[in-house]
Amino acid sequence: MCGIVGYIGHKQAYPILINGLKRLEYRGYDSSGISIFDKEVKTYKRKGKVSDLEEFVKGKDIQGCIGIGHTRWATHGEPNDVNAHPHTSMHGHFTLIHNGIIENYSTLKKKLQSRDYTFKSETDTEVLVNLIEYIYLKGNVTAEMAVRLALLKVDGAFGLAIICRDEPNKVIAARRGSPLVIGVGQGEYFIASDATPIVEYTNSVIYLNDDDVAIIQDGELSLKTIRNDKQTPIIHTLNLEIGEIEKNGFDHFMLKEIFEQPRSIHDTFRGRVATDHSEIHLGGLYEVMPRLVQARRIVIIGCGTSWHAGLVGEYLIEEFARIPVEVEYASEFRYRNPVIYKDDVVIAISQSGETADTLAAIKQAKEAGALVLGICNVVGSSIPRETHAGVYTHAGPEIGVASTKAFTAQVTVLTMMAISLGMTRGFVSKEQGQQMISELMLVPDKIEQALANDSKYKEIANLFKDATNFLYLGRGYLFPVALEGALKLKEISYIHAEGYPAAEMKHGPIALIDNKMPVVVLATTHDHTYEKIVSNIQEVKARSGIVIAVVNKGDKVIGKMADYVLEIPETDFAVAPLVTIVPLQLLSYHIAVMRGCNVDQPRNLAKSVTVE
């Protein structure tokens, strides 16, 4: 979603702002802008890429040591220069950038119009900046008080950075429901929607909580709530290196992140497995383990790729721990009045830790008395703070909008949870547990072997880059992988694709199959479903369908039936999703590149959906 960057200190702000906006491009956006304060506020904004803004400001006055910048993903109002941020109030006293949605903006706008305020844009943000100015002028109050009083009247989500022309050397930041982090330097401060724009300047940060207001002035920071309650800033140290947010020789972040999966999976289980593979230690769950073991039911919530990871978790937990599991879209869960018991456990999965629907679902589950756990990649984000306990993945920063290494890290955590619960509840013997843990330990090496076949995946991508539809089929543990493979193709290549349980093909999708329809069949688990998959392939072939099969190396049956074969190392069924997804990620990546698509920043998509 939209990105924020701000600076106040002794350096020139423009280079920091423009570099920060480039770092934030991965979040998805359609326009960008900056405001720099030096005796007066100078604002420049443009529809399009940050490079368009950079070209626009050439030769203009960009001097000043205070500034705010923004990448906008349109919600209220079409993408254009006028609707781009920053927005300035009608009389010019305040300039503001905003992530989130002001839900009652229409009501507020009508009240301001009745008081002779006029508006240039279609945005809810311009309503907010004018509301702040109206209170400031009418009440004859300070800028800080005007901001706090205005935010008391606002419904919705916001991450804000605000400049007042009458109070130089000051920036005000505030948040509710939209992430905001403040970097602490030597007599300087950085404001950002996540750590990526500021990591090269400082590794000391303050994470704002909901309804926090930070006032930065003359090299000092004070923190309070919207209701004027003083807060003590807590400084955290970022565990993030600048190299982690660079491409490091890869053509795209997505490709880099696909190839990082052996390391990110290893980092996720590293330190959590006994040296003899006899048990798993998930420290973040230690205090809640008794309640988790006794759970009546587990409900997993997530969105998009995280929902697919949750589906794999359902198979794993029910198989090994024998606890009933339901997997819910967070966006549906929060609105459908679900039945939640006090002895339920709700597991919320999110890469960013800021997904708006998931956060709302967490609050609903907590109000019902359930134990709420989080699986998240970003330390210090909202979901770890809102949940009772949880487990961090250690995927590292994921810049590509289409999630890859975050998915496999999430599945790795769910696999460890399932094994640990199964052993604790007595449904998995010590010997079985050791065997399963040993299989998990082998996954990074097997993914390395799968990645070594990249040239083969690229050859097949070239054959199908002009297809208009794809069908993905899988059974059991591989059905969620089929869904995830189809999603990757849709996200980055804009080819329509659907994932199905293979047995459901006869209940509708078989009508689509002809000699132009590529059907990707996942057949890497040699269990009771293998023969069924063979039958499904025969049904596709009988209707002139084109079969692309993902199989274990050396498969003699499906390998002969399929038109094209993508081989991976043979893997235990419980961890097969972690390896099977890799050729699907690379197939999607190469098709998208060959079609000339923007792989890292697909159209209409944002990395983190922080508003509804």
Side-chain angles (χ1 to χ4, degrees):
M1 203 53 69
C2 311
I4 281 175
V5 62
Y7 177 76
I8 177 168
H10 47 82
K11 299 186 181 80
Q12 286 295 306
Y14 175 76
I16 296 168
L17 297 180
I18 206 73
N19 186 54
L21 293 181
K22 290 176 181 178
R23 297 279 189 213
L24 289 168
E25 287 187 292
Y26 78 97
R27 294 171 68 94
Y29 72 108
D30 45 54
S31 60
S32 60
I34 58 171
S35 289
I36 297 175
F37 192 11
D38 180 28
K39 298 180 182 177
E40 61 178 353
V41 179
K42 299 156 287 191
T43 297
Y44 310 106
K45 50 188 185 176
R46 269 292 178 267
K47 175 186 175 182
K49 297 297 183 183
V50 174
S51 57
D52 298 315
L53 173 66
E54 201 171 12
E55 186 67 26
F56 177 64
V57 302
K58 283 184 178 178
K60 295 182 170 59
D61 181 5
I62 53 173
Q63 298 300 304
C65 298
I66 298 173
I68 55 177
H70 191 264
T71 53
R72 176 180 186 252
W73 193 84
T75 52
H76 294 82
E78 66 179 82
N80 59 31
D81 294 351
V82 175
N83 289 329
H85 296 213
H87 285 282
T88 299
S89 56
M90 189 175 80
H91 299 293
H93 292 279
F94 289 88
T95 301
L96 176 152
I97 53 178
H98 167 221
N99 287 358
I101 291 178
I102 306 303
E103 295 175 358
N104 60 335
Y105 84 100
S106 181
T107 301
L108 295 171
K109 185 174 184 177
K110 289 175 183 176
K111 289 181 179 179
L112 289 167
Q113 287 173 326
S114 71
R115 291 161 173 78
D116 298 324
Y117 268 83
T118 59
F119 296 83
K120 298 177 182 178
S121 76
E122 305 166 86
T123 67
D124 54 335
T125 302
E126 190 184 7
V127 175
L128 178 57
V129 74
N130 278 318
L131 175 63
I132 293 169
E133 182 184 77
Y134 173 75
I135 293 171
Y136 175 73
L137 295 176
K138 183 182 178 183
N140 192 28
V141 296
T142 64
E144 173 210 320
M145 186 175 292
V147 170
R148 289 192 292 101
L149 291 173
L151 294 181
L152 287 172
K153 299 179 181 295
V154 163
D155 297 328
F158 51 79
L160 303 170
I162 306 159
I163 293 171
C164 176
R165 74 178 185 193
D166 308 318
E167 299 185 20
N169 301 318
K170 177 186 288 186
V171 175
I172 301 170
R175 76 153 279 179
R176 178 191 296 158
S178 190
L180 212 59
V181 59
I182 296 178
V184 181
Q186 295 294 322
E188 59 185 353
Y189 290 87
F190 307 83
I191 303 167
S193 43
D194 65 48
T196 54
I198 63 176
V199 65
E200 60 194 280
Y201 307 108
T202 180
N203 66 351
S204 298
V205 297
I206 299 166
Y207 297 105
L208 296 193
N209 294 312
D210 275 355
D211 287 351
D212 275 354
V213 179
I215 303 96
I216 307 168
Q217 184 175 21
D218 298 326
E220 300 291 334
L221 179 145
S222 62
L223 188 65
K224 56 182 65 177
T225 68
I226 289 171
R227 298 187 180 276
N228 205 31
D229 298 319
K230 289 187 177 180
Q231 305 291 296
T232 301
I234 299 174
I235 298 177
H236 301 263
T237 301
L238 283 175
N239 184 23
L240 178 63
E241 299 294 334
I242 187 65
E244 294 182 83
I245 56 173
E246 301 284 359
K247 291 180 184 174
N248 294 339
F250 287 90
D251 290 337
H252 298 92
F253 281 110
M254 183 181 179
L255 185 62
K256 171 178 176 266
E257 289 155 8
I258 291 171
F259 274 80
E260 283 177 340
Q261 287 176 113
R263 187 194 58 151
S264 59
I265 291 172
H266 182 268
D267 286 348
T268 296
F269 63 62
R270 184 180 57 175
R272 291 167 166 170
V273 174
T275 54
D276 62 355
H277 298 179
S278 62
E279 56 184 331
I280 289 171
H281 306 283
L282 296 174
L285 301 181
Y286 180 77
E287 293 185 0
V288 300
M289 201 64 178
R291 191 170 169 187
L292 179 55
V293 169
Q294 297 299 322
R296 171 178 181 169
R297 176 183 61 163
I298 292 175
V299 180
I300 300 176
I301 55 175
C303 299
T305 287
S306 295
W307 185 76
H308 295 158
L311 289 176
V312 179
E314 177 183 19
Y315 282 87
L316 289 162
I317 293 169
E318 290 195 342
E319 174 98 23
F320 299 116
R322 308 307 297 160
I323 300 173
V325 180
E326 296 178 14
V327 184
E328 298 261 10
Y329 283 114
S331 55
E332 290 296 312
F333 181 88
R334 63 179 294 197
Y335 284 117
R336 69 170 185 80
N337 193 23
V339 177
I340 307 170
Y341 301 102
K342 292 185 184 298
D343 51 358
D344 282 344
V345 173
V346 175
I347 301 175
I349 307 177
S350 170
Q351 189 282 136
S352 67
E354 302 292 351
T355 309
D357 287 319
T358 306
L359 279 165
I362 286 169
K363 292 176 182 177
Q364 186 173 358
K366 287 173 70 177
E367 288 169 1
L371 173 67
V372 184
L373 310 178
I375 297 175
C376 183
N377 189 40
V378 180
V379 176
S381 57
S382 296
I383 285 177
R385 297 204 300 267
E386 290 289 337
T387 49
H388 295 113
V391 181
Y392 280 115
T393 59
H394 295 298
E398 188 176 66
I399 305 300
V401 167
S403 186
T404 52
K405 64 177 180 174
F407 171 75
T408 49
Q410 290 165 353
V411 172
T412 300
V413 168
L414 289 163
T415 304
M416 290 191 291
M417 288 179 68
I419 296 170
S420 181
L421 278 172
M423 294 177 73
T424 304
R425 286 170 57 86
F427 293 104
V428 174
S429 69
K430 183 177 180 179
E431 292 73 20
Q432 289 173 314
Q434 284 182 309
Q435 177 62 28
M436 293 168 64
I437 293 169
S438 296
E439 289 290 341
L440 181 61
M441 300 299 100
L442 294 173
V443 165
D445 286 340
K446 291 183 178 181
I447 291 180
E448 290 280 13
Q449 295 174 50
L451 292 169
N453 294 326
D454 185 38
S455 59
K456 177 66 173 179
Y457 310 149
K458 190 172 183 179
E459 287 176 16
I460 295 177
N462 188 52
L463 297 174
F464 295 101
K465 65 181 186 298
D466 297 319
T468 55
N469 295 281
F470 267 74
L471 188 63
Y472 288 70
L473 302 177
R475 283 181 178 260
Y477 287 77
L478 298 183
F479 161 52
V481 179
L483 291 173
E484 176 63 10
L487 177 62
K488 289 287 93 66
L489 190 67
K490 282 184 281 194
E491 284 180 309
I492 63 172
S493 75
Y494 319 138
I495 295 173
H496 175 255
E498 297 294 338
Y500 271 89
E504 288 297 304
M505 181 180 64
K506 289 182 285 189
H507 295 272
I510 198 168
L512 299 172
I513 294 173
D514 58 20
N515 60 6
K516 297 180 181 178
M517 170 70 85
V519 180
V520 180
V521 180
L522 310 183
T524 60
T525 51
H526 278 268
D527 56 14
H528 59 282
T529 65
Y530 185 81
E531 293 302 324
K532 302 294 185 183
I533 283 283
V534 170
S535 297
N536 294 138
I537 291 173
Q538 290 170 333
E539 290 163 350
V540 173
K541 295 291 290 181
R543 289 155 181 83
S544 302
I546 305 166
V547 175
I548 304 169
V550 182
V551 299
N552 292 330
K553 187 174 182 180
D555 187 299
K556 302 298 184 185
V557 179
I558 294 177
K560 292 180 180 178
M561 297 171 60
D563 298 282
Y564 303 94
V565 173
L566 303 177
E567 289 188 333
I568 63 172
E570 186 167 355
T571 307
D572 184 81
F573 75 96
V575 293
L578 291 167
V579 184
T580 306
I581 190 59
V582 172
L584 305 188
Q585 293 170 341
L586 285 168
L587 184 67
S588 298
Y589 168 80
H590 290 303
I591 287 174
V593 171
M594 292 171 185
R595 289 167 64 90
C597 300
N598 188 336
V599 173
D600 286 334
Q601 300 168 40
R603 67 188 183 200
N604 303 330
L605 293 181
K607 181 64 179 173
S608 176
V609 182
T610 56
V611 297
E612 290 187 63

